[in-house]
Amino acid sequence: MTNAFEEAYARSIDNPEGFWGDAAEAITWTKKWDKVLDDSNAPFYRWFKGGELNTCYNCLDRHVEDGRADQTALIYDSPVTGGTVRKYTYAELLDEVSRVAGALKAEGVDKGDRVVIYMPMIPEAAIAMLACARLGAIHSVVFGGFAANELAVRIDDAKPKAIMSATCGIEVNRVIEYMPLLNEAIEIAKHKPSVCMIKQRPECEAKATATKHLDWDDAMNAASPADCVSVESSHPLYILYTSGTTGQPKGVVRDNGGHAVALKWSMKNIYGVDPGDVYWAASDVGWVVGHSYIVYAPLMHGCTTVLYEGKPVGTPDAGAFWRVISDHKIKTLFTAPTAFRAIRKEDPKAELLGKYDLSHFKALFLAGERTDPDTLYWAMEVLKVPVVDHWWQTETGWPIASNCLGLHEYPVKAGSPTKPVPGWNVKVLHEETHEEVPAGDIGAICVKLPMPPSSLLTLWNADQRFKDAYLEEYPGYYKTADAGMFDEDGYISIMARTDDIINVAGHRLSTGGMEEVLASHPDVAECAVIGVDDQMKGQLPFGFLVLKAGVTKEPEDIVNEVVQLVRQKIGPVAAFKQATVVQRLPKTRSGKILRGTMQSIADNKAWKMPATIDDPVILDEITEALEGSGLGSARK
Ligand code: COA
Ligand code: AMP
């Protein structure tokens, strides 16, 4: 007997057009598609060719028309502003979104124009995204923890007509003024937006922007509501920049039609959530999790979504998540394992949990990094609900592997996100032969093309980079750049990235990008950045610097300067705080830096002397430098 998961999975692989054609019936289309999957321009596959829809209509108008007008659509919960809680019904959210869209339209923002959204976690961030979707404009949200330079790189790539922002973001210990960052970014960027729409927050006065400045509330109040613009299924909904192997981020392009279909399907089938339920993704709208599961999927499904401006600890304590779950009767929480490690560190016995009623809480989903078994068992023990590790990427927009609670709940195996989700034909391939490897062997995790709906269409203005980065190495497959293996029961384990991406507190960062910043320091001749294990954040970046000949400055001063430089150029979110000066970097005879070996030394893992090493003595120096850095004690 097959279960519902096995049936769904088999059909999705054998007959993807039938499977996704049925799923697409759950979306309101202004024009029905002619073909479910268009492969005429492979590898640029397009879903629902000929179909037209509006994503904002499916998130808001549709529910207002179907009797959900008075249901709460969005709850803003903000412990960092003294405990503000603001609720929007579907009708209220639709009203604000339509007027903000009207304000953008009055500024000439049209279908296909780009809009950069640089916002803290306030409702206006979601409103801005939906307003763009309403007009068929393409938004690009930039995470608030990125510095001006990173914002400028994205402005130059996306070339936005407008920027939507706020006067500040609020971290636990400080107010972060956005206007100086925004103005600096506009100054650095070659492309200049024609208008900035700024939400004035009480915590920080607005300052003039470097271009035409609209006050958010004034513009919204003066605007006439804009209607939905119907767009082709493959019209881009958004660009989301994510770390690549260099300082130039990759602009992942998401469509409207495939995205709507996959996300709507995922809510019931993966998360087990029904319309009317309260769903909380404790992430940030700057990341893909925030796009998919704070904004689009829960609203598309008619749920109540929660937008939380706070942290798991320190706002005010390690009971913050339990308080939010209890206050808003949350059924499902989605967050990163690092948040649970932070809570556990402060309240190992989860004593604060006793203060709250979690009777509505039914499941915890974790992603962004592997859930370590300790954290998994702890969460299962204290919460007594299913705890689901699920695996996905910015590029995919929704989970590739998960325990699909709405289809069939499998027994949990610690360290594994269970099985590939319907739609995802995942194979583990040998890195040299490109053949499938047997169960139990580690290889490159790849997805057989075509990928299911919602996967990236391409990289913004970079079709060739899209092909080179993802499709070239394993012909016929998408390379996830994760290494891992299947076991005998078909469970998958994600072990490591195969590129230079590291995962710091669930945030995806490029060590290559950090190396570019370190190399720009005038005294640095050469450098390397690796990700070292960290008990709380999963990984932390660590830099090695080789100084130019004749530099007389103290090494500590140079280390402090590069730490500041990364903060200024990339942003505090890089969490780059440790570096050390060494005489040389270990390299192969062909000049490749042995980052993997350095990482094993730093993590106290067994390592073999690479046969191709140029000068083995350097590794002793590296070991000494690590031990002297304080990192040595942390890793023992
Ligand atoms: N704007 C400005 N600065 C920000 C920021 C933002 N939106 N988000 C983070 N930062 C800053 C922090 O203040 C911190 O600065 P500091 O070096 O001056 O202390 C730095 O960036 C690093 O932030 P973070 O990695 O978040 O560390 P933290 O110590 O503040 O918090 C956790 C640690 C684990 C509590 C926090 O990372 C967390 O809640 N993680 C959840 C992960 C998550 O949401 N992942 C998204 C994918 S699901
Ligand atoms: P991002 O694009 O920021 O979502 O990061 C994607 C990367 O995070 C993946 O390629 C993995 O390396 C890692 N990742 C995300 N979720 C998981 C998970 N559940 N288990 C292991 N790694 C994960």
Side-chain angles (χ1 to χ4, degrees):
M1 265 279 284
T2 51
N3 64 43
F5 170 84
E6 287 165 340
E7 275 170 32
Y9 188 78
R11 181 164 183 243
S12 75
I13 303 301
D14 299 342
N15 178 11
E17 295 205 55
F19 184 87
W20 290 113
D22 285 353
E25 299 291 348
I27 294 297
T28 303
W29 299 80
T30 40
K31 179 172 172 290
K32 195 169 168 161
W33 58 92
D34 306 317
K35 193 157 180 11
V36 174
L37 176 63
D38 173 20
D39 55 5
S40 59
N41 193 25
F44 297 94
Y45 296 93
R46 296 294 177 255
W47 287 94
F48 309 107
K49 187 182 180 205
E52 289 183 14
L53 76 163
N54 182 278
T55 294
C56 179
Y57 177 87
N58 277 280
C59 290
L60 300 177
D61 307 57
R62 167 187 179 163
H63 301 308
V64 170
E65 290 164 16
D66 289 352
R68 292 191 186 277
D70 298 329
Q71 180 196 308
T72 305
L74 186 144
I75 301 172
Y76 165 57
D77 185 305
S78 169
V80 293
T81 54
T84 315
V85 173
R86 199 174 338 136
K87 297 185 181 181
Y88 294 72
T89 64
Y90 269 97
E92 287 164 346
L93 194 57
L94 173 60
D95 174 59
E96 285 212 15
V97 167
S98 313
R99 286 187 291 129
V100 169
L104 288 175
K105 195 174 164 185
E107 291 300 320
V109 174
D110 241 326
K111 181 184 166 195
D113 288 336
R114 273 82 58 216
V115 175
V116 161
I117 298 173
Y118 185 60
M119 294 283 248
M121 283 291 285
I122 55 176
E124 285 73 11
I127 290 171
M129 292 162 75
L130 291 160
C132 292
R134 196 166 186 82
L135 298 174
I138 304 165
H139 62 68
S140 185
V141 182
V142 179
F143 177 62
F146 280 126
N149 190 58
E150 290 288 319
L151 179 57
V153 169
R154 287 153 176 80
I155 292 174
D156 271 337
D157 199 64
K159 301 195 171 38
K161 193 173 254 182
I163 297 186
M164 303 172 87
S165 189
T167 52
C168 61
I170 302 168
E171 281 295 287
V172 177
N173 48 5
R174 64 193 192 278
V175 169
I176 300 184
E177 278 200 58
Y178 274 26
M179 306 297 278
L181 293 166
L182 180 59
N183 281 338
E184 191 187 337
I186 295 175
E187 206 176 293
I188 304 171
K190 288 192 196 73
H191 171 85
K192 309 291 174 197
S194 40
V195 62
C196 290
M197 188 165 164
I198 309 292
K199 175 71 189 174
Q200 164 76 59
R201 299 192 77 183
E203 294 77 11
C204 179
E205 272 299 304
K207 296 193 181 78
T209 36
T211 179
K212 183 178 171 188
H213 182 132
L214 285 186
D215 175 79
W216 186 289
D217 292 343
D218 292 348
M220 182 179 77
N221 292 333
S224 355
D227 267 344
C228 292
V229 173
S230 177
V231 301
E232 310 80 63
S233 175
S234 61
H235 179 70
L237 171 67
Y238 67 76
I239 308 165
L240 178 56
Y241 289 91
T242 188
S243 303
T245 43
T246 64
Q248 179 67 29
K250 294 170 167 167
V252 166
V253 180
R254 190 90 57 218
D255 64 347
N256 275 268
H259 175 252
V261 171
L263 259 54
K264 170 85 173 89
W265 185 89
S266 72
M267 287 301 283
K268 176 70 189 167
N269 293 288
I270 298 180
Y271 297 97
V273 166
D274 291 309
D277 287 341
V278 189
Y279 182 95
W280 178 28
S283 175
D284 189 289
V285 288
W287 309 118
V288 67
V289 174
H291 281 59
S292 295
Y293 292 105
I294 296 175
V295 182
Y296 289 114
L299 295 177
M300 217 134 16
H301 201 49
C303 292
T304 299
T305 188
V306 179
L307 194 137
Y308 174 71
E309 190 181 29
K311 300 259 174 181
V313 293
T315 60
D317 57 29
F321 275 21
W322 323 140
R323 197 263 309 154
V324 176
I325 292 173
S326 154
D327 281 0
H328 306 307
K329 301 191 168 43
I330 283 160
K331 181 174 178 186
T332 305
L333 167 63
F334 176 169
T335 191
T338 188
F340 266 72
R341 289 196 296 268
I343 296 170
R344 182 183 178 196
K345 188 166 171 232
E346 296 221 342
D347 182 15
K349 295 195 180 130
E351 278 161 344
L352 293 168
L353 198 59
K355 285 170 59 185
Y356 302 100
D357 169 17
L358 266 63
S359 54
H360 291 84
F361 188 52
K362 297 290 178 250
L364 169 67
F365 282 79
L366 298 170
E369 51 172 325
R370 173 175 176 268
T371 302
D372 54 285
D374 271 3
T375 305
L376 176 87
Y377 292 133
W378 185 79
M380 284 165 67
E381 191 188 313
V382 302
L383 292 171
K384 301 184 174 50
V385 296
V387 178
V388 178
D389 175 10
H390 62 331
W391 166 56
W392 50 305
Q393 306 184 315
T394 305
E395 288 84 347
T396 68
W398 65 296
I400 316 169
S402 182
N403 209 343
C404 294
L405 295 192
L407 288 169
H408 178 84
E409 189 181 335
Y410 280 96
V412 169
K413 292 195 191 181
S416 162
T418 317
K419 301 187 180 213
V421 167
W424 295 98
N425 194 355
V426 177
K427 304 281 178 204
V428 178
L429 304 182
H430 191 281
E431 289 183 359
E432 275 151 28
T433 64
H434 295 188
E435 300 284 325
E436 242 184 290
V437 300
D441 282 10
I442 296 179
I445 310 182
C446 295
V447 181
K448 193 154 181 7
L449 298 176
M451 297 216 280
S454 176
S455 312
L456 77 169
L457 293 184
T458 185
L459 295 176
W460 184 250
N461 279 336
D463 286 347
Q464 191 57 45
R465 187 175 180 200
F466 165 69
K467 289 201 267 187
D468 293 347
Y470 301 109
L471 308 178
E472 198 178 79
E473 200 170 332
Y474 297 90
Y477 292 87
Y478 162 85
K479 178 181 80 172
T480 65
D482 279 314
M485 62 176 186
F486 276 114
D487 72 5
E488 298 289 347
D489 300 322
Y491 281 56
I492 193 160
S493 290
I494 317 300
M495 326 285 277
R497 289 285 301 196
T498 57
D499 54 13
D500 68 355
I501 301 285
I502 57 169
N503 230 303
V504 179
H507 307 139
R508 170 169 160 178
L509 297 163
S510 155
T511 53
M514 293 185 216
E515 287 176 5
E516 282 176 29
V517 174
L518 303 194
S520 72
H521 187 285
D523 298 332
V524 172
E526 243 193 328
C527 64
V529 175
I530 58 170
V532 297
D533 284 349
D534 180 72
Q535 273 194 349
M536 221 250 285
K537 295 198 177 186
Q539 281 187 300
L540 277 178
F542 188 96
F544 296 88
L545 311 169
V546 177
L547 303 184
K548 286 182 182 158
V551 171
T552 50
K553 222 187 253 173
E554 287 301 318
E556 298 100 84
D557 292 340
I558 297 178
V559 166
N560 287 338
E561 284 167 20
V562 296
V563 166
Q564 280 314 312
L565 206 56
V566 174
R567 226 176 145 80
Q568 260 165 36
K569 288 267 164 74
I570 297 179
V573 69
F576 181 86
K577 294 190 172 159
Q578 301 184 88
T580 186
V581 170
V582 290
Q583 294 305 314
R584 290 164 301 171
L585 293 172
K587 290 185 187 170
T588 61
R589 281 187 285 273
S590 60
K592 212 167 158 245
I593 299 174
L594 290 161
R595 292 184 180 76
T597 312
M598 289 157 85
Q599 189 162 346
S600 300
I601 296 175
D603 291 342
N604 247 0
K605 289 189 181 134
W607 57 277
K608 269 203 252 143
M609 182 64 71
T612 53
I613 194 164
D614 184 31
D615 182 357
V617 177
I618 303 176
L619 288 176
D620 296 337
E621 252 182 56
I622 296 290
T623 310
E624 257 170 51
L626 280 165
E627 261 150 23
S629 69
L631 190 75
S633 51
R635 67 203 157 89
K636 274 177 189 150

